[in-house]
């Protein structure tokens, strides 16, 4: 649904955050480290306290364990990518990216046609990245299991490429998803 080009002279760091789409980070030049954290760790990352929804006030490189003691119990994966590497970041997965040296990267975010079955960003009583992992809150994997186990994929015809492909923007996808949920509710 969207593509972003990241250019950096190095020494840059994102906040610890979650994106509401599937995500591929492709590194064309430079080096990055990435911290990845499951959605259900939101409470231990103090996401509800963050100034901006979908982010955490904790910085992985300088954690104040006096102010954020539960962060010591966060299970996370740290990886490093270099030029030519690609990293898949699942929908709503928490991550923080640190760039070193001169960097050139591309992010591609997308939704699946059937995501409407589980992802309703307007329904804060069920989908809220800051509440995953809370007692009594639906676990993320259980919520996402409402999607089909597999999705139809149409292969490109021989000789075709994606140069003429149009992406559906996030607003259009949210309208589509809302329409599909309403249609499903009428049929239920």
């Amino acid at each position: 649904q969207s593509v972003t080009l990241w250019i950096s002279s190095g020494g840059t760091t994102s906040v610890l955050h979650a994106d509401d789409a599937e995500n591929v980070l492709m590194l064309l030049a430079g080096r990055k480290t990435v911290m990845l954290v499951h959605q259900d760790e939101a409470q231990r990352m103090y996401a509800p306290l963050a100034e901006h929804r979908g982010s955490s006030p904790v910085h992985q490189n300088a954690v104040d364990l006096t102010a954020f003691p539960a962060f010591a119990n966060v299970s996370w994966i740290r990886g490093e990518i270099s030029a030519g590497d690609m990293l898949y970041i699942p929908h709503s997965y928490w991550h923080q990216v640190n760039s070193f040296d001169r960097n050139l990267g591309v992010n591609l975010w997308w939704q699946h046609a059937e995501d409407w079955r589980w992802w309703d960003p307007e329904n804060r009583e069920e989908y809220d990245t800051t509440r995953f992992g809370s007692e009594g809150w639906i676990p993320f994997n259980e919520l996402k299991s409402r999607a089909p186990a597999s999705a139809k994929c149409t292969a490109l015809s021989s000789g075709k490429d994606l140069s003429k492909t149009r992406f559906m923007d996030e607003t259009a996808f949210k309208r589509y998803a809302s329409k599909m949920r309403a249609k499903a509710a009428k049929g239920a």
Side-chain angles (χ1 to χ4, degrees):
Q1 289 174 195
S2 74
V3 177
T4 301
L5 178 66
W6 300 100
I7 302 171
S8 165
S9 59
T12 58
T13 301
S14 75
V15 297
L16 183 53
H17 68 284
D19 297 317
D20 58 358
E22 305 289 344
N23 178 356
V24 173
L25 170 59
M26 297 166 274
L27 195 58
L28 306 174
R31 182 172 62 92
K32 293 181 184 282
T33 58
V34 183
M35 172 191 193
L36 298 165
V37 183
H38 190 276
Q39 298 88 337
D40 289 336
E41 294 280 7
Q43 299 309 298
R44 286 186 271 220
M45 293 186 307
Y46 299 86
L49 302 179
E51 188 175 329
H52 301 286
R53 181 174 281 289
S55 67
S56 167
V58 183
H59 191 287
Q60 70 171 9
N61 294 340
V63 179
D64 180 346
L65 290 176
T66 302
F68 305 112
F71 195 84
N73 298 315
V74 169
S75 296
W76 54 284
I77 300 168
R78 181 186 175 278
E80 183 173 313
I81 60 174
S82 298
D85 291 339
M86 185 178 343
L87 177 67
Y88 167 66
I89 303 172
H91 194 295
S92 307
Y93 227 76
W94 292 90
H95 56 286
Q96 180 174 324
V97 182
N98 301 320
S99 298
F100 302 92
D101 309 315
R102 200 168 76 187
N103 255 264
L104 181 61
V106 176
N107 269 111
L108 171 64
W109 288 278
W110 75 94
Q111 302 289 348
H112 297 283
E114 298 291 320
D115 280 356
W116 64 269
R117 295 182 184 278
W118 70 271
W119 181 63
D120 183 356
E122 305 304 317
N123 181 0
R124 293 273 186 234
E125 295 304 312
E126 186 171 78
Y127 179 84
D128 184 343
T129 56
T130 68
R131 294 178 70 187
F132 288 122
S134 298
E135 189 173 325
W137 194 258
I138 187 169
F140 181 83
N141 291 347
E142 184 179 326
L143 179 65
K144 193 159 184 189
S145 72
R146 294 177 186 170
S150 62
K152 185 175 79 174
C153 183
T154 306
L156 289 174
S157 304
S158 180
K160 298 277 185 175
D161 62 35
L162 294 175
S163 64
K164 296 198 177 12
T165 301
R166 284 182 26 139
F167 288 96
M168 179 187 294
D169 69 29
E170 184 176 355
T171 302
F173 183 82
K174 286 179 179 177
R175 280 194 305 266
Y176 159 81
S178 181
K179 181 177 154 185
M180 295 302 291
R181 279 190 294 278
K183 184 177 178 181
K186 284 182 184 176

